[in-house]
Short mmCIF file of all heavy atoms in Angstrom, two decimals:
data_model
loop_
_atom_site.label_atom_id
_atom_site.label_comp_id
_atom_site.label_asym_id
_atom_site.label_seq_id
_atom_site.Cartn_x
_atom_site.Cartn_y
_atom_site.Cartn_z
N SER A 149 -3.28 93.22 3.45
CA SER A 149 -4.11 94.06 2.60
C SER A 149 -4.71 95.18 3.42
O SER A 149 -4.76 96.35 3.02
CB SER A 149 -5.17 93.24 1.90
OG SER A 149 -4.66 92.35 1.00
N PHE A 150 -5.16 94.79 4.66
CA PHE A 150 -5.79 95.82 5.49
C PHE A 150 -4.82 96.91 5.89
O PHE A 150 -5.13 98.16 5.85
CB PHE A 150 -6.40 95.19 6.78
CG PHE A 150 -6.91 96.14 7.75
CD1 PHE A 150 -8.10 96.83 7.54
CD2 PHE A 150 -6.14 96.45 8.86
CE1 PHE A 150 -8.57 97.80 8.49
CE2 PHE A 150 -6.56 97.41 9.80
CZ PHE A 150 -7.79 98.06 9.56
N PHE A 151 -3.63 96.51 6.33
CA PHE A 151 -2.65 97.51 6.81
C PHE A 151 -2.19 98.39 5.67
O PHE A 151 -2.05 99.59 5.89
CB PHE A 151 -1.43 96.80 7.43
CG PHE A 151 -1.72 96.20 8.80
CD1 PHE A 151 -1.39 94.83 9.08
CD2 PHE A 151 -2.33 96.92 9.78
CE1 PHE A 151 -1.66 94.30 10.32
CE2 PHE A 151 -2.57 96.43 11.06
CZ PHE A 151 -2.22 95.11 11.27
N VAL A 152 -1.99 97.81 4.48
CA VAL A 152 -1.57 98.66 3.39
C VAL A 152 -2.64 99.62 2.92
O VAL A 152 -2.48 100.81 2.75
CB VAL A 152 -1.19 97.77 2.14
CG1 VAL A 152 -0.98 98.57 0.93
CG2 VAL A 152 0.13 96.97 2.52
N GLY A 153 -3.91 99.12 2.85
CA GLY A 153 -5.06 99.94 2.38
C GLY A 153 -5.38 100.96 3.44
O GLY A 153 -5.69 102.15 3.04
N ALA A 154 -5.32 100.59 4.70
CA ALA A 154 -5.62 101.59 5.80
C ALA A 154 -4.60 102.67 5.72
O ALA A 154 -4.91 103.89 5.98
CB ALA A 154 -5.65 100.87 7.10
N ALA A 155 -3.35 102.39 5.50
CA ALA A 155 -2.32 103.40 5.44
C ALA A 155 -2.52 104.40 4.30
O ALA A 155 -2.33 105.54 4.40
CB ALA A 155 -0.92 102.78 5.39
N ILE A 156 -2.95 103.89 3.17
CA ILE A 156 -3.17 104.74 1.97
C ILE A 156 -4.41 105.63 2.19
O ILE A 156 -4.38 106.79 1.83
CB ILE A 156 -3.40 103.81 0.77
CG1 ILE A 156 -2.09 103.13 0.41
CG2 ILE A 156 -3.85 104.64 -0.45
CD1 ILE A 156 -2.19 102.07 -0.72
N LEU A 157 -5.49 105.12 2.82
CA LEU A 157 -6.68 105.89 3.01
C LEU A 157 -6.70 106.59 4.34
O LEU A 157 -7.72 107.28 4.65
CB LEU A 157 -7.88 104.95 2.97
CG LEU A 157 -8.25 104.35 1.62
CD1 LEU A 157 -9.44 103.49 1.80
CD2 LEU A 157 -8.61 105.47 0.66
N HIS A 158 -5.63 106.57 5.08
CA HIS A 158 -5.63 107.16 6.49
C HIS A 158 -6.00 108.65 6.44
O HIS A 158 -6.66 109.06 7.41
CB HIS A 158 -4.28 106.91 7.14
CG HIS A 158 -4.23 107.42 8.55
ND1 HIS A 158 -4.86 106.75 9.62
CD2 HIS A 158 -3.69 108.54 9.06
CE1 HIS A 158 -4.69 107.45 10.70
NE2 HIS A 158 -3.95 108.50 10.44
N GLY A 159 -5.51 109.39 5.45
CA GLY A 159 -5.77 110.80 5.42
C GLY A 159 -7.14 111.14 5.21
O GLY A 159 -7.60 112.28 5.56
N HIS A 160 -8.03 110.23 4.66
CA HIS A 160 -9.36 110.51 4.36
C HIS A 160 -10.34 109.72 5.33
O HIS A 160 -11.32 110.26 5.78
CB HIS A 160 -9.71 110.14 2.94
CG HIS A 160 -8.79 110.75 1.90
ND1 HIS A 160 -8.90 112.16 1.63
CD2 HIS A 160 -7.78 110.33 1.12
CE1 HIS A 160 -7.93 112.42 0.72
NE2 HIS A 160 -7.36 111.35 0.35
N VAL A 161 -9.99 108.46 5.61
CA VAL A 161 -10.86 107.64 6.45
C VAL A 161 -9.95 106.83 7.41
O VAL A 161 -9.49 105.73 7.06
CB VAL A 161 -11.69 106.60 5.62
CG1 VAL A 161 -12.70 105.92 6.51
CG2 VAL A 161 -12.33 107.30 4.45
N PRO A 162 -9.64 107.40 8.57
CA PRO A 162 -8.77 106.65 9.54
C PRO A 162 -9.50 105.42 10.01
O PRO A 162 -10.72 105.44 10.41
CB PRO A 162 -8.62 107.60 10.65
CG PRO A 162 -8.97 108.99 10.11
CD PRO A 162 -10.04 108.72 9.06
N VAL A 163 -8.86 104.25 10.00
CA VAL A 163 -9.43 103.00 10.50
C VAL A 163 -8.24 102.17 10.98
O VAL A 163 -7.19 102.18 10.41
CB VAL A 163 -10.15 102.26 9.31
CG1 VAL A 163 -9.24 101.95 8.16
CG2 VAL A 163 -10.89 101.07 9.87
N SER A 164 -8.48 101.42 12.06
CA SER A 164 -7.51 100.54 12.65
C SER A 164 -8.16 99.27 13.17
O SER A 164 -9.38 99.13 13.14
CB SER A 164 -6.79 101.26 13.81
OG SER A 164 -7.69 101.47 14.86
N LEU A 165 -7.27 98.34 13.58
CA LEU A 165 -7.81 97.04 14.09
C LEU A 165 -8.65 97.30 15.37
O LEU A 165 -9.46 96.40 15.69
CB LEU A 165 -6.67 96.05 14.36
CG LEU A 165 -5.94 95.49 13.11
CD1 LEU A 165 -4.79 94.58 13.57
CD2 LEU A 165 -6.94 94.69 12.26
N GLY A 166 -8.43 98.45 16.02
CA GLY A 166 -9.16 98.66 17.25
C GLY A 166 -10.49 99.21 16.99
O GLY A 166 -11.32 99.30 17.93
N SER A 167 -10.83 99.59 15.77
CA SER A 167 -12.23 100.05 15.40
C SER A 167 -13.22 98.91 15.59
O SER A 167 -12.88 97.75 15.51
CB SER A 167 -12.23 100.64 14.02
OG SER A 167 -11.25 101.65 13.90
N PRO A 168 -14.50 99.29 15.85
CA PRO A 168 -15.47 98.20 16.04
C PRO A 168 -15.59 97.25 14.85
O PRO A 168 -15.75 97.63 13.71
CB PRO A 168 -16.80 99.00 16.20
CG PRO A 168 -16.34 100.38 16.72
CD PRO A 168 -15.06 100.62 16.02
N HIS A 169 -15.52 95.99 15.20
CA HIS A 169 -15.72 94.83 14.20
C HIS A 169 -14.59 94.71 13.20
O HIS A 169 -14.73 93.88 12.28
CB HIS A 169 -17.06 94.95 13.53
CG HIS A 169 -18.18 95.16 14.45
ND1 HIS A 169 -18.60 94.24 15.48
CD2 HIS A 169 -19.15 96.21 14.61
CE1 HIS A 169 -19.63 94.73 16.15
NE2 HIS A 169 -19.95 95.87 15.63
N VAL A 170 -13.56 95.49 13.27
CA VAL A 170 -12.58 95.48 12.23
C VAL A 170 -11.76 94.19 12.28
O VAL A 170 -11.51 93.55 11.26
CB VAL A 170 -11.66 96.72 12.28
CG1 VAL A 170 -10.44 96.57 11.32
CG2 VAL A 170 -12.44 97.95 11.88
#
Side-chain angles (χ1 to χ4, degrees):
S149 296
F150 173 76
F151 286 129
V152 170
I156 294 174
L157 289 179
H158 183 76
H160 305 291
V161 189
V163 62
S164 67
L165 288 177
S167 302
H169 309 300
V170 170

